Amino acid sequence: MKLNRTVSSCLRLPSLLKPYSSFHWTTTMATTAKNVEGMKTVDEADVGISCFISQLPGFRGILKQRYADFIVNEVDIHGNVVHLTSLDLPPEMDVKEEDKNKSSDSEPQNYTSAIESFKSISNATDAERLETLINQVTSGTDEISLVVLDPSSDKSMRTAIHNFVKENFKFLVTDTVDGPDSTSKCIRVRVNSGAHNNRGNRSKKRKERGDKPFDSRGSEHWPEHVGKFLRFHLYKENKDTQEALGLIGKMLGVQPKSFGFSGTKDKRSVSTQCVTVFKQQASKLAALNKRLFGIKVGDFCRVKEGLLLGQLMGNRFTITLRGVVADSEEIIKKSAESLGKDGFINYFGLQRFGSGSVPTHHVGAALLKGEWKDAVDMILNPRETERHVVNDAREYYKETGDIDGTLRQLPRYLVAERAILQCLKKCPGNYLQALKGIPRTLRMMYVHSYQSYLWNNAASLRVKKIGTTQVVLGDLVSTKVDAATKMVDSLTSEHKENNEEALDCDQVDDTAIVDLPAERSDLVKVASIEDLEAGTYSTSDIVLPLPGSRVIYPSNDNAEIYHDLAKKDGISLTDSIHGVKEFSITSMTGGYRRVFQKPIDFEWELLSYTDSNKPLAETDLDRIIMTVDKVGSAEEVEDESMNSDSNPAETDLKDQTERKEDEKDTGNPNSKQTQMALKMALTLPSSCYATMAIRELLKTSTSVAYHKTLN
């Protein structure tokens, strides 16, 4: 889907503009992000983010002062923006399950003929006993006895009886018991309890399930003509995707693998996305709306296939920057117009490298070098930026080495840490095995973040040496072949792997790297003199590689930085120093990423406000409430969503605490003074970070630590 790019006119609010030194703000406050309250955090310069496209001065603006200032709506694979539009259950939405225990051979007359045949391999007495048992089963009586047939020393006859019962009476099972003497055995016949609760072939089903991207367990009686997946729109406030689905799954009694989704969304936001769940009734999900806190589900429909990671075009963002202060309105206007016209450098944002004091690319470097113990230590060691309860647990383990005691203290959302400790408990000192105990999607994130670190530095070098306005000889460009644009965009979209377990979503973003298929290596080429003379390519076609075995590098100076930086870290991009393939760049195919990205359907406006706690943008739930005919019903919907006292047993205590902190942070003594906000709406491909677009506007750090100082 190709969307038009537009820039809206700016509302004139000259009374809100104040004299302000943008240079002083950028140079002094950016350093504050590095050490907030004495705590070390990852800064943009540490991960190669250092350049801008425009030379315009920046201005002050607070990102995510409230989580409702950052609204994310998924754009599905067909280009449709996903909204929560209805909480109602569509008529006849629930599936009427078929009772497959009822079959033609469940009628008594059919069993009569089978019993007559049974007499030919046994005797009349055994046939009468078997008939009595069958009548008990078919009549539905609660008192069902087992049957022991006459003793027999003929093994071939006993085998024939076993096979006959198995083929003709599937609700019965047989086994062999000792007879009255040492030469004979008796066959025992009883009701197959597994026929009713599906226990009989459980291990077989587990093997068949294997690595399917969803939990294939569910009702055995699902009609063949009905889609086995229920698709719904998930609306959530201040929760990450895994956390929300984990809570829903717990209420439904299903495993995380039952759910499918295209990508994770920022936690500190209000987001709406598509989700699928395997063989579930819509009424069960709709009923959860009264019990869920900060989560709503709706817009139900049946589909044949579940969603997989990466099956989306991108995201539509509605972002409000509060407390905007600039030297003049003209600076804001020109900055917004420049962003819409020229875009931004398509860096991997800080989310890619983790929110803690230990960047994920440092762990990735240790893995690539085969330093397994160092990698484990970096994941487990205390971190200054974490909450006390988490840091205390880390300190406890470092001092005592008590795994059980540490596991009791560590929150369950720290998936990597808990997985490592559980493996070390079983195999002390086996650090490689402990690392492999981390869910694959999560453990590969560490190596992918190192690739992103190299890419960011290469992008900065390209901008510093060449600029942002032209394609030069030796640049890598996406070729002008059918579907190339879509393919290059998808090369760095969500990782299309099984969503096996919940991830540590404070460290995982929704733009993991997808390996480059060998057959699509023709999607990029090195720009030649002929290409430059013909003007075949523009700056929007320039790409840079994510290191791997199947990528090519630019034929100019940009290629050197990849190898130079890796060499400084003791890493070779062409040889592996260990034999563990998944932690080796030479075993990864690699990929490509666009250097420059323009926002799609970009709109912006300046707003004035006096109440810092008042929302400045409508959420999907706000629109639902406003469209409800009866005021009482609307209030009921609102109360169910926002009342923190509703069913506290189902409420996440951590979420309540963070919600209260969010409200507390926004309160300030000047909240009644007139302030200015910049509200923007833009669509970005799934491989892009909205925070990098904001950085291009403000010319300041996008780190959480920095923006907390602005409150």
Side-chain angles (χ1 to χ4, degrees):
M1 185 183 82
K2 190 172 182 179
L3 303 174
N4 294 324
R5 301 184 179 95
T6 59
V7 180
S8 70
S9 60
C10 174
L11 300 178
R12 300 188 61 83
L13 297 168
S15 61
L16 296 177
L17 300 169
K18 304 174 182 178
Y20 207 83
S21 172
S22 300
F23 174 77
H24 173 76
W25 178 263
T26 304
T27 55
T28 61
M29 291 305 293
T31 58
T32 308
K34 189 81 174 178
N35 286 283
V36 178
E37 300 177 1
M39 298 188 301
K40 297 178 182 178
T41 59
V42 181
D43 191 35
E44 289 174 345
D46 298 332
V47 293
I49 303 173
S50 59
C51 297
F52 302 94
I53 288 182
S54 81
Q55 301 302 311
L56 294 167
F59 53 91
R60 181 188 189 271
I62 307 174
L63 176 64
K64 296 186 181 181
Q65 186 179 60
R66 298 177 61 85
Y67 58 77
D69 291 340
F70 200 86
I71 301 174
V72 186
N73 291 87
E74 189 172 85
V75 180
D76 67 21
I77 197 68
H78 304 294
N80 303 311
V81 180
V82 177
H83 286 283
L84 183 71
T85 61
S86 174
L87 304 177
D88 298 330
L89 183 67
E92 300 181 1
M93 187 67 200
D94 278 352
V95 176
K96 187 176 181 181
E97 300 180 29
E98 299 173 349
D99 187 357
K100 292 192 176 181
N101 286 327
K102 292 182 179 180
S103 57
S104 59
D105 63 357
S106 67
E107 298 298 328
Q109 59 269 26
N110 293 334
Y111 294 137
T112 300
S113 61
I115 291 170
E116 285 297 320
S117 300
F118 180 72
K119 292 179 182 179
S120 64
I121 59 172
S122 183
N123 56 59
T125 304
D126 284 346
E128 288 178 6
R129 292 176 180 142
L130 186 60
E131 185 176 17
T132 300
L133 176 60
I134 292 172
N135 289 337
Q136 289 176 348
V137 174
T138 56
S139 65
T141 180
D142 293 333
E143 298 180 2
I144 301 177
S145 58
L146 57 83
V147 169
V148 179
L149 305 183
D150 287 344
S152 172
S153 57
D154 186 347
K155 185 175 181 181
S156 61
M157 187 184 80
R158 295 198 305 267
T159 300
I161 293 175
H162 284 305
N163 291 334
F164 186 90
V165 172
K166 182 179 180 180
E167 293 174 5
N168 293 276
F169 311 112
K170 297 185 183 299
F171 53 91
L172 300 179
V173 292
T174 59
D175 59 5
T176 304
V177 296
D178 291 335
D181 55 64
S182 59
T183 62
S184 64
K185 300 285 184 180
C186 296
I187 292 178
R188 183 172 57 181
V189 186
R190 66 185 188 277
V191 175
N192 179 11
S193 58
H196 299 288
N197 56 22
N198 300 320
R199 294 176 186 167
N201 56 352
R202 177 172 291 181
S203 65
K204 180 182 177 183
K205 285 186 182 179
R206 186 178 290 114
K207 292 177 182 178
E208 290 175 349
R209 225 170 28 244
D211 58 355
K212 288 182 181 179
F214 57 88
D215 186 346
S216 62
R217 284 173 289 187
S219 172
E220 291 295 311
H221 315 314
W222 204 265
E224 292 295 331
H225 66 282
V226 178
K228 294 182 179 180
F229 293 88
L230 175 67
R231 190 179 70 190
F232 61 95
H233 292 175
L234 171 67
Y235 169 96
K236 56 187 181 61
E237 300 175 351
N238 205 30
K239 288 183 184 289
D240 58 53
T241 304
Q242 298 279 8
E243 182 183 1
L245 292 180
L247 185 58
I248 293 173
K250 184 177 180 181
M251 291 180 174
L252 292 175
V254 300
Q255 293 188 350
K257 284 179 68 173
S258 296
F259 296 100
F261 54 91
S262 301
T264 59
K265 309 303 175 190
D266 289 345
K267 176 177 180 177
R268 191 167 176 81
S269 68
V270 175
S271 65
T272 307
Q273 64 185 112
C274 279
V275 177
T276 56
V277 62
F278 186 70
K279 285 185 178 179
Q280 287 294 319
Q281 301 288 10
S283 59
K284 291 184 178 180
L285 267 81
L288 298 182
N289 282 325
K290 294 182 179 180
R291 301 164 58 195
L292 290 166
F293 178 80
I295 302 172
K296 292 293 175 186
V297 292
D299 299 283
F300 305 100
C301 68
R302 290 278 167 200
V303 292
K304 294 182 179 180
E305 300 291 338
L307 283 172
L308 300 176
L309 286 174
Q311 292 182 334
L312 78 166
M313 284 187 64
N315 296 286
R316 178 72 177 171
F317 298 91
T318 304
I319 302 171
T320 304
L321 298 176
R322 292 179 183 260
V324 171
V325 181
D327 286 337
S328 67
E329 178 187 343
E330 193 65 19
I331 289 176
I332 303 173
K333 181 178 179 179
K334 287 184 177 180
S335 296
E337 290 176 344
S338 173
L339 178 62
K341 178 175 176 282
D342 302 320
F344 57 95
I345 302 172
N346 195 23
Y347 288 121
F348 287 95
L350 288 177
Q351 306 99 301
R352 183 70 164 167
F353 305 96
S355 57
S357 56
V358 180
T360 53
H361 71 287
H362 286 183
V363 181
L367 294 175
L368 292 171
K369 290 185 288 187
E371 297 173 349
W372 315 128
K373 186 178 185 303
D374 288 348
V376 167
D377 288 342
M378 280 189 274
I379 295 172
L380 293 180
N381 279 346
R383 303 178 183 184
E384 299 177 0
T385 55
E386 287 185 312
R387 293 183 299 142
H388 290 303
V389 63
V390 176
N391 207 48
D392 290 347
R394 294 183 186 276
E395 290 281 4
Y396 176 80
Y397 177 71
K398 187 174 183 180
E399 294 172 3
T400 67
D402 178 8
I403 292 179
D404 288 331
T406 306
L407 287 171
R408 285 193 292 270
Q409 298 179 51
L410 273 181
R412 293 195 174 274
Y413 65 84
L414 293 176
V415 176
E417 288 84 346
R418 293 183 65 87
I420 287 174
L421 289 173
Q422 287 163 351
C423 287
L424 288 177
K425 181 180 177 180
K426 296 177 182 178
C427 306
N430 193 336
Y431 298 105
L432 174 58
Q433 192 62 37
L435 289 164
K436 288 186 175 182
I438 302 172
R440 175 174 170 77
T441 311
L442 178 53
R443 68 178 182 259
M444 293 309 298
M445 174 267 298
Y446 296 116
V447 179
H448 290 160
S449 67
Y450 187 78
Q451 290 174 299
S452 305
Y453 163 75
L454 295 179
W455 191 97
N456 278 357
N457 279 280
S460 292
L461 179 68
R462 200 271 175 207
V463 172
K464 289 175 183 176
K465 285 194 170 185
I466 303 173
T468 64
T469 59
Q470 60 180 336
V471 179
V472 300
L473 187 66
D475 272 339
L476 278 185
V477 291
S478 60
T479 56
K480 301 293 184 179
V481 297
D482 291 341
T485 299
K486 182 177 180 182
M487 188 64 187
V488 173
D489 282 341
S490 70
L491 288 178
T492 51
S493 66
E494 284 75 3
H495 201 301
K496 296 176 177 63
E497 288 200 48
N498 298 340
N499 177 31
E500 296 178 353
E501 299 187 40
L503 306 182
D504 179 355
C505 291
D506 288 337
Q507 297 178 336
V508 178
D509 67 299
D510 61 337
T511 52
I513 300 169
V514 171
D515 290 338
L516 175 66
E519 66 273 13
R520 301 311 301 269
S521 59
D522 62 334
L523 289 173
V524 296
K525 62 168 290 186
V526 176
S528 63
I529 294 177
E530 292 77 14
D531 294 326
L532 300 182
E533 291 175 348
T536 307
Y537 300 101
S538 67
T539 55
S540 62
D541 298 314
I542 300 172
V543 299
L544 283 171
L546 291 146
S549 61
R550 293 181 185 168
V551 300
I552 59 174
Y553 291 87
S555 62
N556 50 33
D557 294 343
N558 257 34
E560 297 177 5
I561 191 170
Y562 286 96
H563 298 280
D564 290 345
L565 279 177
K567 187 176 181 180
K568 287 181 181 178
D569 292 327
I571 296 169
S572 171
L573 300 182
T574 56
D575 299 300
S576 177
I577 62 174
H578 56 73
V580 184
K581 288 186 176 182
E582 66 177 292
F583 297 141
S584 170
I585 279 187
T586 57
S587 298
M588 298 179 181
T589 54
Y592 299 96
R593 181 178 177 86
R594 295 188 183 280
V595 177
F596 307 111
Q597 180 65 50
K598 295 180 181 180
I600 304 168
D601 284 352
F602 180 49
E603 302 171 351
W604 63 273
E605 62 178 330
L606 283 171
L607 305 172
S608 62
Y609 67 98
T610 56
D611 186 352
S612 297
N613 295 319
K614 181 180 178 181
L616 298 178
E618 289 182 353
T619 66
D620 288 348
L621 189 61
D622 291 334
R623 296 186 186 96
I624 290 177
I625 292 172
M626 287 189 293
T627 55
V628 174
D629 294 332
K630 295 182 180 179
V631 176
S633 298
E635 291 175 349
E636 181 181 351
V637 172
E638 187 173 20
D639 289 342
E640 288 173 2
S641 173
M642 304 305 173
N643 184 6
S644 63
D645 295 326
S646 60
N647 200 346
E650 303 290 354
T651 302
D652 186 353
L653 182 60
K654 181 166 70 75
D655 182 76
Q656 289 189 62
T657 302
E658 291 175 351
R659 185 182 291 264
K660 291 176 181 177
E661 289 176 353
D662 180 80
E663 293 170 354
K664 180 176 65 177
D665 287 345
T666 60
N668 63 74
N670 300 319
S671 61
K672 296 303 178 184
Q673 295 182 359
T674 301
Q675 300 184 69
M676 184 164 58
L678 176 60
K679 179 181 173 182
M680 296 168 289
L682 64 155
T683 299
L684 296 175
S686 58
S687 61
C688 300
Y689 289 76
T691 51
M692 293 298 96
I694 301 303
R695 176 182 176 273
E696 179 68 30
L697 278 175
L698 301 181
K699 302 295 192 297
T700 56
S701 173
T702 58
S703 72
V704 174
Y706 166 66
H707 282 270
K708 279 186 176 180
T709 66
L710 303 188
N711 276 332

